[in-house]
Amino acid sequence: MRTSNLTKAAALAFGVVWAAGCSTTSTTDTATTGTETDGSATQGVGVDSGVTGVTIEDLATLRTVFYFDFDQATLKAESYADLEKHSAYLAQHPSARVVLEGHADERGTREYNMALGERRALSVARFMQVNGVSGGQIETVSFGEEKPAVVGHSETSWSQNRRVELKYTAQ
Amino acid sequence: MVNRIQQSLISCVLMLMSVMAHAELTIEITQGVDKPTPIAVVPFAWGGSFALKEDVAQIVSDDLGRTGLFSMMKRNNMLSFPSQQNQVFYRDWRVGGTEFLVIGRQQAIENGQLRVEFELYDVLKQQRILVERVTGNNNNLRDVAHYIADKVYEKLTGIRGAFSTRIVYVTAQQFGNGNVKYQLQMADADGARPITIREQSQPIMSPAWSRDGTKLAYVSFESGKPAIYIQYLSTGKREKLQSFRGLNGAPAWSPDGNRLALTLSKDGNPEIYVLDLQSRQLNRITHHYGIDTEPSWTPDGQSLIFTSDRGGQPQIYRIRLASRDIERITYEGNYNASAKLTPDGRFLALVHRGGDNQFHIAVRDMKTGRLDVLTDTLLDESPTIAPNGSIILYATQKGTRGVLGGVTLDGRVRFLLPAPAGDVREPAWSSYLQ
């Protein structure tokens, strides 16, 4: 793991600054970011995973869809291992890029679910940053409940729709 | 009035936008009031040399019947078909229990115009209580009919009718292998005459009417990311608002039409902003690390109602734009969202999840604080209120498909507008159209 503890500490301490400025394009907006406190939970961070040497062949074996509980954006423990490997790969390949697509199930209102999908994508993005991925390698987009993976009106479908899909745009 | 509507809106829209053949939404009343008022609408007389394209009396009858407030007499139960005052025999109507009677006649006048005269009678008092003449033509008889229904409704209830207004909604049709056709459609308030405003393969969300009924704002994913567009109904011209990293959503026009409230997450998490459409100045309204979204305006334009999970779950708040004072409005239930005030500000329609963990449409009396759940289906959302405050239209599920439902504000009357195919969602009801 090439990420120094300092980087991790900085990423945690300035989570909100990162959240404001992590994505690809900048705007000329001068709003007062950074003056508020970030109450979002962080999870599964600060523990060195020790993952090294993830190859492009390894990527094909990793899961790329990560699931969430209802109205929650907290990563499940089952997601850590593969996300750490994706992170290691991205950290080792600075020209690689990913898009994180956040989704929600159909319950609740559409615009609130847009916000929830974004929160889930940002939750994954933060985990990856803490594990050494540069903010410039990650792009996030929310589709809310607009693009369900499975169409249906029961928990079987809903649980598969509350997800973040990780897609490489450059490997 | 009908002529102006016809000229300013329908004809332009019909000319300039793609008119597509769609089966119409059809209305079925699922629950009515206990004792609706019996009314008869007699077929309107016509002796002209050409066939009329619409049965005006039938449309008037259907409009009134759909409110659930009236029971409409069937034509084959009528003992006579009067079209003028001297043909009205009250005993013919009293015998069948009819309390009010509508008659009318249609006449061709110059330049292909039609004159439609209608009269409303109080059968019990044996009095003519309304008589009016409308001018139209064979292509806008549906507008004429909705206008007549508006007048009759207002005379009988004291509330301005909203049958001449329009709705927009989003449809989604699955075509296998993941292909979906999304359409933004506009129709009469009764679901008739649907036309396609926009069609694309990426999602369309959150349509919102400008107060003057000339423009729509909506969210489109056509660029791969959410962005807000404004579309002019008369020309079809579209304008993409400056979009930012993250969410660009939940557009809501101010009552004066000069500002647009919206949700952006460019500063790190969803916040509510107000965009001045003239100066293009963007003002951030909320400052909280939680989700703030779904702004809607109070009728006076001084405050925004919005959804926030700053308390741990989505609840409804109000922020005053001048002072930025924030007040939490809902406490009952563990999920309250997508709230909109009636035009008089008295009631708040919203999506509510209570003890049964299902999503229903509810209405909160802003004076007493009482919350009434109006629906009993499990995935109800997107409430939109008729401009006369009488009916809430919303999205619900019937079987496995999304359909539009309607419920009166008192919850006594419910109806569905089932579509023939695909999912129908996100209705938005226009203001009164001039």
Side-chain angles (χ1 to χ4, degrees):
Chain A
M1 193 79 197
R2 301 216 300 239
T3 316
S4 72
N5 286 334
L6 185 64
T7 309
K8 288 185 179 180
L12 280 173
F14 298 108
V16 71
V17 176
W18 160 78
C22 76
S23 197
T24 49
T25 52
S26 65
T27 66
T28 54
D29 178 67
T30 54
T32 56
T33 55
T35 57
E36 58 190 287
T37 55
D38 186 352
S40 315
T42 55
Q43 63 284 315
V45 296
V47 178
D48 195 318
S49 63
V51 178
T52 52
V54 178
T55 67
I56 199 161
E57 289 75 27
D58 296 333
L59 284 185
T61 67
L62 301 179
R63 79 171 87 167
T64 56
V65 184
F66 304 93
Y67 298 98
F68 295 82
D69 289 330
F70 176 71
D71 200 21
Q72 294 298 317
T74 309
L75 277 175
K76 294 185 176 183
E78 66 194 34
S79 304
Y80 295 167
D82 284 10
L83 276 177
E84 281 167 354
K85 288 177 185 148
H86 283 295
S87 302
Y89 178 84
L90 285 157
Q92 291 154 11
H93 301 84
S95 61
R97 298 282 183 277
V98 284
V99 177
L100 302 172
E101 295 181 354
H103 298 267
D105 70 32
E106 65 177 348
R107 292 174 299 165
T109 64
R110 290 178 180 274
E111 286 288 356
Y112 186 82
N113 282 336
M114 282 292 292
L116 193 56
E118 178 177 70
R119 194 183 258 179
R120 287 173 178 154
L122 290 175
S123 179
V124 174
R126 171 170 305 172
F127 181 94
M128 298 181 84
Q129 277 215 287
V130 170
N131 282 285
V133 182
S134 155
Q137 292 177 272
I138 304 171
E139 197 180 335
T140 58
V141 61
S142 175
F143 287 100
E145 64 177 276
E146 306 303 315
K147 291 194 164 185
V150 179
V151 177
H153 307 298
S154 68
E155 178 56 28
T156 317
S157 311
W158 295 332
S159 62
Q160 295 177 71
N161 291 332
R162 298 186 299 264
R163 71 202 192 276
V164 168
E165 295 190 14
L166 183 154
K167 293 177 178 172
Y168 282 87
T169 53
Q171 288 188 329
Chain B
M1 177 197 171
V2 168
N3 272 333
R4 258 181 292 142
I5 291 178
Q6 194 259 334
Q7 282 160 10
S8 65
L9 190 64
I10 299 165
S11 59
C12 297
V13 166
L14 287 174
M15 263 190 311
L16 292 163
M17 293 177 184
S18 57
V19 181
M20 310 194 67
H22 288 286
E24 294 174 355
L25 304 173
T26 52
I27 289 164
E28 60 186 53
I29 295 181
T30 51
Q31 178 189 315
V33 294
D34 293 342
K35 200 176 177 311
T37 303
I39 302 188
V41 182
V42 180
F44 286 12
W46 168 242
S49 56
F50 53 91
L52 296 180
K53 290 181 180 171
E54 302 284 355
D55 183 340
V56 170
Q58 189 62 51
I59 297 169
V60 172
S61 184
D62 291 345
D63 277 352
L64 295 171
R66 190 184 335 119
T67 66
L69 298 173
F70 309 106
S71 68
M72 310 310 297
M73 186 182 225
K74 288 196 172 71
R75 283 180 179 178
N76 53 17
N77 291 336
M78 295 178 185
L79 299 175
S80 56
F81 291 126
S83 63
Q84 317 203 48
Q85 187 164 25
N86 62 10
Q87 299 167 344
V88 173
F89 298 103
Y90 291 109
R91 64 169 187 276
D92 285 357
W93 305 100
R94 258 200 323 268
V95 83
T98 298
E99 293 181 20
F100 295 94
L101 172 69
V102 179
I103 65 167
R105 53 204 169 270
Q106 302 154 121
Q107 226 186 322
I109 52 175
E110 70 280 0
N111 301 325
Q113 296 285 99
L114 292 168
R115 176 186 296 152
V116 183
E117 293 168 294
F118 67 96
E119 302 178 4
L120 172 64
Y121 291 84
D122 183 327
V123 173
L124 301 180
K125 289 183 180 160
Q126 305 203 3
Q127 278 175 3
R128 187 170 75 174
I129 55 177
L130 179 68
V131 55
E132 200 174 319
R133 173 185 293 178
V134 195
T135 305
N137 61 56
N138 206 5
N139 292 318
N140 70 359
L141 282 176
R142 192 163 269 279
D143 295 305
V144 170
H146 290 320
Y147 175 82
I148 294 170
D150 281 342
K151 290 296 164 184
V152 170
Y153 180 85
E154 181 164 7
K155 189 70 187 176
L156 296 180
T157 66
I159 299 163
R160 186 173 172 184
F163 304 114
S164 297
T165 56
R166 294 202 153 68
I167 56 173
V168 293
Y169 49 89
V170 176
T171 62
Q173 259 181 294
Q174 311 277 345
F175 286 100
N177 58 28
N179 291 330
V180 185
K181 180 167 78 179
Y182 297 92
Q183 292 181 319
L184 179 58
Q185 303 216 309
M186 176 167 69
D188 288 5
D190 61 1
R193 295 191 294 191
I195 59 172
T196 301
I197 307 279
R198 174 84 190 161
E199 178 179 314
Q200 59 187 46
S201 62
Q202 294 298 317
I204 298 170
M205 284 179 70
S206 305
W209 287 90
S210 65
R211 193 58 62 100
D212 64 4
T214 63
K215 300 181 281 290
L216 298 173
Y218 56 87
V219 176
S220 168
F221 286 77
E222 65 201 72
S223 68
K225 293 179 178 182
I228 297 173
Y229 291 77
I230 289 175
Q231 185 161 336
Y232 294 79
L233 289 172
S234 60
T235 63
K237 196 186 119 205
R238 306 168 77 226
E239 178 197 341
K240 182 184 180 185
L241 295 185
Q242 184 189 3
S243 68
F244 298 91
R245 178 176 56 77
L247 302 182
N248 295 265
W253 300 83
S254 63
D256 63 11
N258 296 328
R259 290 167 293 167
L260 201 65
L262 44 93
T263 301
L264 301 173
S265 61
K266 66 190 179 69
D267 296 332
N269 61 77
E271 302 285 2
I272 289 163
Y273 293 75
V274 170
L275 174 69
D276 185 305
L277 290 166
Q278 263 91 56
S279 68
R280 297 285 153 159
Q281 194 186 331
L282 192 60
N283 283 313
R284 181 168 164 179
I285 305 300
T286 57
H287 293 82
H288 196 276
Y289 58 80
I291 291 171
D292 294 325
T293 188
E294 299 176 334
S296 67
W297 296 79
T298 56
D300 63 7
Q302 304 293 307
S303 303
L304 292 175
I305 306 287
F306 64 100
T307 306
S308 178
D309 77 338
R310 58 187 61 201
Q313 297 163 329
Q315 294 289 347
I316 305 301
Y317 294 77
R318 171 170 49 206
I319 184 164
R320 292 176 203 280
L321 293 175
S323 64
R324 301 291 162 96
D325 288 342
I326 293 180
E327 175 195 353
R328 180 169 166 178
I329 293 178
T330 55
Y331 289 90
E332 212 173 309
N334 54 31
Y335 193 118
N336 290 297
S338 193
K340 294 181 180 74
L341 281 170
T342 50
D344 62 4
R346 173 72 195 269
F347 296 99
L348 187 75
L350 65 150
V351 174
H352 169 80
R353 188 178 70 165
D356 65 1
N357 268 344
Q358 298 177 349
F359 294 87
H360 302 302
I361 303 301
V363 66
R364 181 182 190 273
D365 185 328
M366 297 299 281
K367 204 178 263 179
T368 65
R370 180 190 163 100
L371 187 87
D372 283 312
V373 178
L374 304 182
T375 63
D376 55 13
T377 31
L378 44 152
L379 290 167
D380 305 332
E381 60 176 324
S382 306
T384 180
I385 305 168
N388 63 5
S390 63
I391 292 174
I392 300 168
L393 210 56
Y394 59 97
T396 183
Q397 299 283 335
K398 189 186 185 191
T400 58
R401 297 214 340 258
V403 296
L404 301 186
V407 59
T408 53
L409 227 68
D410 58 13
R412 289 196 302 171
V413 178
R414 270 186 240 151
F415 58 88
L416 287 175
L417 288 83
D423 278 305
V424 186
R425 53 173 80 150
E426 297 205 270
W429 208 317
S430 76
S431 300
Y432 293 115
L433 301 170
Q434 289 306 324

